[in-house]
Amino acid sequence: MSTLIKPNYQECIEACQKCLVDCQVCITKMAGKDSMNDCPYCCVQCVESCLACIKMLASESKWAPEYCRLCAEICDYCAEQCGAHDHDHCKACAESCRRCAEACRQVAAA
Amino acid sequence: MSTLIKPNYQECIEACQKCLVDCQVCITKMAGKDSMNDCPYCCVQCVESCLACIKMLASESKWAPEYCRLCAEICDYCAEQCGAHDHDHCKACAESCRRCAEACRQVAAA
Amino acid sequence: MSTLIKPNYQECIEACQKCLVDCQVCITKMAGKDSMNDCPYCCVQCVESCLACIKMLASESKWAPEYCRLCAEICDYCAEQCGAHDHDHCKACAESCRRCAEACRQVAAA
Amino acid sequence: MSTLIKPNYQECIEACQKCLVDCQVCITKMAGKDSMNDCPYCCVQCVESCLACIKMLASESKWAPEYCRLCAEICDYCAEQCGAHDHDHCKACAESCRRCAEACRQVAAA
């Protein structure tokens, strides 16, 4: 990771990067499959919230904390939905969402 | 649309914008639903190929025609998959994919 | 535009699509050029806020109004910065930002 | 990184993630500043080529190798341009572009 970004932003970017990829994997593996809850609809929203955070954090936007606050909410929702599924990709996604929510909340609160 | 972009690029951007949105709608409506073919997996790929084209065309990138060439292939595939479904959103998506493929091929061939 | 999306969402998507492209053009034309204010840094943030809105609106995300609220603020800032420049691309960008801010505020207030 | 993605795809995703962020930082730091070459215009294109790869690789798209092939070309160009600058962010960006080009070429050749 770049040493040109402040440490808590770096951690948050890394958490968002992992979450974006795990959500994209979840969307892909769940495509065309029956689901008993909001997965992978939650992931469709979560990849976008993570991407917006990555870009706003890397650009040190004044609005980065606000994007992180929204992303934390979407990650909580996605962790809850994917966490209710037993697929490996859903469990991995839920775990990444939990960590991303935490990292985003730290930026939002700073 | 901006008058600062060359006309065939403008048309292609508009076709990609419509295709991106109709694919995103298709992904959303199909999320968690059983599918007998690659829809909405094809749409997951198509939104990204359209986004890359929009950005490369607006930036008049030297690589824009190459991105359009790939996007046309993905749109063809997506039109075929979504075109086999009867849902309104799949039919709309297939139609947007066909138009986008055509616009992309014109840029790729120019 | 898709008839599957509610009318005020459609208008907002179209305003965001135009704003995203005009900001991307502005970033491209200003790249490597001296600027006396925040243009094109404002556009770098604005393309992302518009993209997030487009995706969240097309997916009818519960968070779409929140993303629109943030996008309106970023568009106001970008309109102010680009509006202070005389380049054609900056004037076009500022105008698109103003319209996008208005459309976003309507969704955010609904 | 997810264990659900094949190893060479994982490595390439990580290289693209780092490259995307370092290019976004470079765009941000160079915004409004005079440049004697294509930096940061090259970075504007490079963030998009990296994003397309990340999404296509995570989705195991049939077109992922093609997107990686284009990304390697854009990374080579960006490494050359940013590599000619002495700013810390340009040097960091050039190094990330070189690694990303290599990782992308490995996927493209596989």
Side-chain angles (χ1 to χ4, degrees):
Chain A
M1 183 57 60
S2 172
T3 55
L4 300 158
I5 300 172
K6 28 185 178 169
N8 66 325
Y9 274 31
Q10 282 194 36
E11 279 171 36
C12 192
I13 288 172
E14 286 173 26
C16 288
Q17 285 172 328
K18 183 159 173 32
C19 191
L20 182 154
V21 169
D22 286 344
C23 283
Q24 186 76 8
V25 169
C26 208
I27 293 168
T28 300
K29 304 281 189 192
M30 290 299 288
K33 291 203 185 120
D34 202 40
S35 165
M36 89 298 193
N37 71 7
D38 276 6
C39 165
Y41 174 56
C42 53
C43 307
V44 169
Q45 298 167 68
C46 204
V47 288
E48 297 310 318
S49 63
C50 288
L51 180 60
C53 285
I54 292 166
K55 292 293 196 78
M56 295 297 182
L57 289 162
S59 288
E60 301 201 351
S61 166
K62 187 182 128 185
W63 286 270
E66 290 262 38
Y67 280 92
C68 287
R69 188 181 59 75
L70 294 182
C71 190
E73 290 182 17
I74 294 174
C75 283
D76 281 344
Y77 157 62
C78 197
E80 189 188 272
Q81 298 298 310
C82 290
H85 282 194
D86 270 340
H87 308 293
D88 282 352
H89 52 81
C90 289
K91 287 194 278 186
C93 185
E95 178 59 20
S96 295
C97 286
R98 274 181 223 112
R99 291 185 186 188
C100 189
E102 198 179 336
C104 281
R105 261 191 287 270
Q106 285 184 11
V107 170
Chain B
M1 180 59 60
S2 171
T3 55
L4 299 159
I5 300 173
K6 29 186 178 168
N8 66 327
Y9 274 31
Q10 281 195 36
E11 279 171 36
C12 193
I13 287 172
E14 285 172 25
C16 288
Q17 284 171 330
K18 183 161 173 32
C19 191
L20 182 154
V21 168
D22 286 344
C23 282
Q24 186 76 8
V25 170
C26 208
I27 292 168
T28 299
K29 303 279 190 196
M30 290 298 288
K33 291 202 188 120
D34 202 41
S35 165
M36 89 298 193
N37 71 5
D38 275 6
C39 166
Y41 174 56
C42 54
C43 306
V44 170
Q45 298 168 69
C46 204
V47 287
E48 297 310 320
S49 63
C50 288
L51 178 61
C53 286
I54 293 166
K55 294 291 197 80
M56 295 296 182
L57 288 162
S59 289
E60 300 201 352
S61 166
K62 187 181 130 186
W63 285 272
E66 290 262 39
Y67 278 92
C68 287
R69 188 180 58 76
L70 294 182
C71 191
E73 290 182 18
I74 294 174
C75 283
D76 282 343
Y77 156 63
C78 197
E80 189 187 272
Q81 298 297 312
C82 291
H85 283 195
D86 271 339
H87 309 292
D88 282 352
H89 53 81
C90 289
K91 285 194 279 186
C93 184
E95 179 59 20
S96 295
C97 286
R98 273 180 222 111
R99 290 184 187 187
C100 188
E102 198 178 335
C104 281
R105 260 190 290 269
Q106 284 184 12
V107 170
Chain C
M1 182 58 60
S2 171
T3 54
L4 299 159
I5 300 173
K6 28 186 179 169
N8 66 326
Y9 274 31
Q10 281 193 38
E11 279 171 36
C12 192
I13 287 172
E14 285 171 27
C16 288
Q17 284 172 329
K18 183 159 173 34
C19 191
L20 181 155
V21 168
D22 286 345
C23 283
Q24 185 77 8
V25 169
C26 208
I27 293 168
T28 299
K29 304 281 189 193
M30 291 298 289
K33 291 201 187 121
D34 204 39
S35 165
M36 89 299 194
N37 69 8
D38 276 6
C39 165
Y41 174 56
C42 56
C43 306
V44 169
Q45 298 167 68
C46 204
V47 287
E48 297 310 320
S49 64
C50 289
L51 179 61
C53 285
I54 294 165
K55 293 293 196 78
M56 294 298 182
L57 288 162
S59 288
E60 302 201 349
S61 166
K62 188 181 128 185
W63 286 271
E66 289 262 38
Y67 279 92
C68 288
R69 188 181 57 77
L70 294 181
C71 191
E73 290 183 16
I74 294 174
C75 284
D76 281 344
Y77 156 64
C78 197
E80 188 189 270
Q81 297 298 310
C82 290
H85 283 195
D86 269 341
H87 309 292
D88 282 352
H89 51 81
C90 288
K91 286 196 278 187
C93 185
E95 179 59 21
S96 295
C97 286
R98 273 180 224 112
R99 290 185 187 188
C100 189
E102 197 178 338
C104 281
R105 260 191 288 270
Q106 285 183 11
V107 170
Chain D
M1 182 57 62
S2 172
T3 55
L4 298 160
I5 300 173
K6 29 186 178 167
N8 66 327
Y9 273 30
Q10 281 195 35
E11 280 172 36
C12 193
I13 287 172
E14 285 172 25
C16 289
Q17 284 172 329
K18 183 162 174 31
C19 191
L20 181 155
V21 169
D22 287 344
C23 284
Q24 186 76 8
V25 170
C26 208
I27 293 167
T28 299
K29 305 279 190 194
M30 292 297 288
K33 292 206 184 116
D34 202 41
S35 165
M36 89 297 193
N37 71 7
D38 276 5
C39 165
Y41 174 56
C42 54
C43 306
V44 170
Q45 297 168 68
C46 204
V47 288
E48 297 310 320
S49 64
C50 287
L51 179 60
C53 285
I54 292 165
K55 292 293 197 80
M56 296 295 183
L57 288 163
S59 288
E60 301 201 350
S61 166
K62 188 181 129 186
W63 285 272
E66 289 262 39
Y67 279 92
C68 287
R69 188 180 58 75
L70 294 181
C71 191
E73 290 182 17
I74 294 173
C75 283
D76 281 345
Y77 157 63
C78 197
E80 190 188 272
Q81 298 297 311
C82 290
H85 282 194
D86 270 339
H87 308 292
D88 282 352
H89 53 81
C90 288
K91 286 196 279 186
C93 185
E95 178 59 20
S96 295
C97 285
R98 274 181 222 111
R99 290 186 187 186
C100 189
E102 197 178 337
C104 280
R105 262 192 286 271
Q106 284 183 12
V107 169

